[in-house]
Amino acid sequence: MSILEVKNLTKRYPSFLLDGVTFSLETGRIMGFIGRNGAGKTTTIKSIFRLVHPDAGDIRVFGLDMNTHEHEIKQRIGYAGGAVDFYKHKRIRDMVAVTRRFYDNWDDADYHRYLSLFSIDEAKTPLELSEGMRVKLSLTLALSHHAELLILDEPTSGLDPVSRAELSDVFLYLKNQGVSILFSTHVTSDLEKCADDIAYIAKGRLIAAEPLQTFLETSAAAGCGATLDDIMVHYEKERLL
């Protein structure tokens, strides 16, 4: 069953075109969403959340149209980006006291479990946290209301290798609990540890959307390299020729 369906998503800007992007994410799977800066990953994610209004295309989440079921859908989605600019001088526990009111399924036990896992002191303010710890705080908030779908936009960009490995373990645990994850990242080595599928976008066009192993094997057979980094470098160089 597809938990997220994006069909023919199109958004025109004066200097950029997101051109008919189509992919789907199945229940209980992790999809890596890869591409260079400016390729269209964030525009796609913002369109899913209706923070950007596409010129064409359809987005369905849990089988529901995002345009008509936005509130219901967002109750069941978690989002985390990089180091989010929180209210820098507010204590974390005070911010969370407000945040929990937005979610019908907020779970204090889960919230405190992730605080402990990520070693976050809720008595601190975001200003007192490192960039990596602010990323972990963003993930904690995304994971604390029993989200069935996680959409992650460069969540590991400010983290050290140990923290990234910890998060990969968390993602695999959530996947085993039936949570689906769309994981946009430049750190492709993280995806090779946990992703089931890959969606590769370049200059606004979707190049591939298929199981990770299929993508790696097909690319290797075509002489594009054996890793996601190798494949992206090879393909982007080919586009410049």
Side-chain angles (χ1 to χ4, degrees):
M1 174 183 174
S2 294
I3 200 166
L4 170 65
E5 298 174 273
V6 177
K7 294 182 179 179
N8 299 316
L9 187 65
T10 301
K11 177 66 180 178
R12 293 177 178 85
Y13 292 104
S15 59
F16 178 75
L17 171 64
L18 189 70
D19 190 6
V21 170
T22 297
F23 64 87
S24 63
L25 173 60
E26 301 299 308
T27 301
R29 291 178 73 85
I30 300 175
M31 172 175 276
F33 192 27
I34 63 173
R36 297 184 67 177
N37 284 332
K41 300 189 305 298
T42 296
T43 298
T44 300
I45 289 173
K46 286 183 175 180
S47 296
I48 292 170
F49 280 101
R50 299 191 77 232
L51 299 175
V52 163
H53 296 287
D55 297 307
D58 297 305
I59 297 170
R60 299 184 71 83
V61 189
F62 312 116
L64 304 172
D65 185 340
M66 185 55 124
N67 290 323
T68 53
H69 295 273
E70 181 176 358
H71 177 75
E72 178 184 349
I73 290 170
K74 287 184 176 179
Q75 285 289 316
R76 300 166 64 186
I77 294 179
Y79 169 81
V84 177
D85 246 346
F86 296 98
Y87 293 101
K88 295 181 180 179
H89 298 281
K90 289 284 187 181
R91 295 192 185 280
I92 292 168
R93 66 164 60 99
D94 296 330
M95 291 192 303
V96 171
V98 174
T99 302
R100 63 163 53 95
R101 299 176 189 174
F102 291 96
Y103 295 103
D104 298 336
N105 292 322
W106 181 272
D107 189 324
D108 276 329
D110 268 3
Y111 166 65
H112 284 98
R113 182 159 60 89
Y114 287 113
L115 283 183
S116 176
L117 175 66
F118 297 141
S119 301
I120 298 171
D121 181 356
E122 65 174 349
K124 289 186 175 181
T125 68
L127 193 62
E128 297 174 289
L129 301 180
S130 67
E131 180 180 5
M133 291 302 289
R134 290 200 302 275
V135 173
K136 291 181 179 181
L137 174 58
S138 180
L139 280 166
T140 295
L141 299 180
L143 292 168
S144 295
H145 62 277
H146 297 292
E148 299 165 55
L149 169 64
L150 285 181
I151 298 180
L152 310 174
D153 192 6
E154 300 290 349
T156 60
S157 57
L159 298 183
D160 59 78
V162 175
S163 296
R164 295 205 320 267
E166 290 173 349
L167 288 181
S168 292
D169 289 341
V170 170
F171 298 154
L172 288 170
Y173 166 79
L174 292 169
K175 170 188 152 179
N176 290 334
Q177 301 302 306
V179 177
S180 305
I181 301 175
L182 179 65
F183 186 177
S184 168
T185 182
H186 289 103
V187 189
T188 56
S189 59
D190 292 342
L191 297 177
E192 290 174 355
K193 298 172 185 174
C194 66
D196 300 294
D197 306 298
I198 285 292
Y200 176 22
I201 190 171
K203 295 187 177 180
R205 289 190 174 187
L206 196 71
I207 305 304
E210 58 191 9
L212 171 62
Q213 198 58 39
T214 301
F215 181 68
L216 291 173
E217 290 173 358
T218 302
S219 299
C224 300
T227 69
L228 289 176
D229 275 350
D230 292 339
I231 294 164
M232 285 184 62
V233 169
H234 181 275
Y235 188 83
E236 297 297 338
K237 283 183 177 179
E238 287 291 314
R239 290 179 67 86
L240 293 175
L241 296 178

